[in-house]
């Protein structure tokens, strides 16, 4: 499959089959994530691979609590429409953890997100690798970081870039529409 086809076939999945994800697939996905660019090649990411049903239940509960908090705060109605059951359905969850101390030199000129930006590139690489090996995934961030840190024993000094559920989708997923890109020349707002 050509790269552009992998990009176009990747889907955000919220309903997984119970089929297994192999250790080889997990290793390939993590290795692909490791090849993401990072400031000074510091590679600020670490990974937690989760298959334990009890841990998945706790992550689902954290997601449901976060969703309820958002709804209670006046979020749009659609925020409550998604079930969090997919967290338990997915055969594997991979949590991508980032070390902010490995963000490069950006802190010297008020760019403090180098590590998280690198971790985000890592997550995208992983999701594209999942698509290439026939799996779907989701960039799941609907949780309180402090709650998830406690559940997964992640030190306070680290940040959570994503929880990535992986597996085969229960049903085909239609691609959402894409808007035309806004492209400027030389300066923001200049379209000439």
């Amino acid at each position: 499959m050509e790269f552009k086809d992998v990009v176009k076939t990747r889907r955000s999945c919220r309903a997984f089959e119970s089929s297994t994800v192999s250790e080889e697939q997990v290793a390939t996905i993590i290795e692909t994530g490791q090849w993401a660019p990072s400031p000074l090649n510091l590679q600020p990411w670490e990974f937690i691979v989760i298959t334990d049903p009890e841990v998945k239940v706790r992550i689902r509960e954290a997601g449901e609590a976060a969703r309820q908090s958002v709804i209670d705060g006046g979020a749009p109605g659609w925020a409550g429409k998604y079930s969090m059951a997919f967290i338990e359905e997915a055969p594997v969850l991979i949590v991508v953890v980032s070390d902010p101390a490995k963000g490069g030199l950006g802190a010297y000129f008020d760019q403090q997100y180098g590590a998280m930006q690198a971790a985000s590139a890592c997550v995208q690489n992983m999701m594209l690798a999942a698509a290439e090996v026939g799996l779907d995934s989701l960039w799941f961030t609907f949780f309180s970081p402090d709650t998830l840190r406690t559940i997964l024993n992640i030190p306070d000094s680290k940040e959570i870039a994503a929880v990535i559920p992986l597996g085969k989708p229960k049903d085909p997923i239609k691609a959402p529409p894409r808007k035309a890109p806004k492209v400027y020349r030389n300066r923001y707002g200049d379209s000439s």
Side-chain angles (χ1 to χ4, degrees):
M1 187 180 315
E2 289 189 35
F3 178 72
K4 68 179 181 175
D5 296 326
V6 172
V7 171
K8 290 180 179 180
T9 58
R10 185 214 57 80
R11 295 287 172 269
S12 294
C13 184
R14 292 178 182 86
F16 294 93
E17 289 182 357
S18 60
S19 59
T20 61
V21 171
S22 73
E23 288 297 323
E24 181 181 343
Q25 288 172 313
V26 170
T28 296
I29 290 165
I30 289 174
E31 179 185 14
T32 304
Q34 289 179 284
W35 281 94
S38 63
L40 303 177
N41 195 32
L42 291 172
Q43 303 173 42
W45 41 73
E46 298 174 82
F47 309 94
I48 304 170
V49 178
I50 299 167
T51 55
D52 183 325
E54 291 179 24
V55 177
K56 290 180 188 180
V57 167
R58 293 188 66 199
I59 294 171
R60 178 191 47 79
E61 291 171 347
E64 289 172 344
R67 179 183 60 205
Q68 192 59 50
S69 176
V70 167
I71 291 168
D72 293 346
W78 62 261
K81 85 174 191 174
Y82 292 110
S83 166
M84 298 280 175
F86 64 86
I87 293 295
E88 291 180 65
E89 291 174 353
V92 174
L93 306 176
I94 301 177
V95 180
V96 180
V97 178
S98 176
D99 183 348
K102 295 182 178 180
L105 301 176
Y108 289 100
F109 38 90
D110 203 27
Q111 289 185 8
Q112 302 183 24
Y113 305 107
M116 186 55 76
Q117 290 168 331
S120 296
C122 172
V123 170
Q124 180 167 350
N125 277 11
M126 293 172 72
M127 293 176 75
L128 292 172
E132 186 178 47
V133 299
L135 302 173
D136 277 337
S137 59
L138 177 70
W139 192 321
F140 183 69
T141 58
F142 214 152
F143 52 81
S144 160
D146 290 337
T147 301
L148 212 55
R149 272 191 197 96
T150 300
I151 293 168
L152 301 175
N153 199 31
I154 297 170
D156 289 342
S157 61
K158 309 286 177 155
E159 295 180 343
I160 304 165
V163 175
I164 306 171
L166 294 169
K168 296 263 186 197
K170 276 189 181 173
D171 299 304
I173 304 168
K174 185 179 175 188
R178 292 293 188 247
K179 300 174 185 174
K182 292 184 180 182
V183 180
Y184 305 111
R185 300 286 178 189
N186 301 312
R187 290 181 176 76
Y188 186 85
D190 189 354
S191 59
S192 57

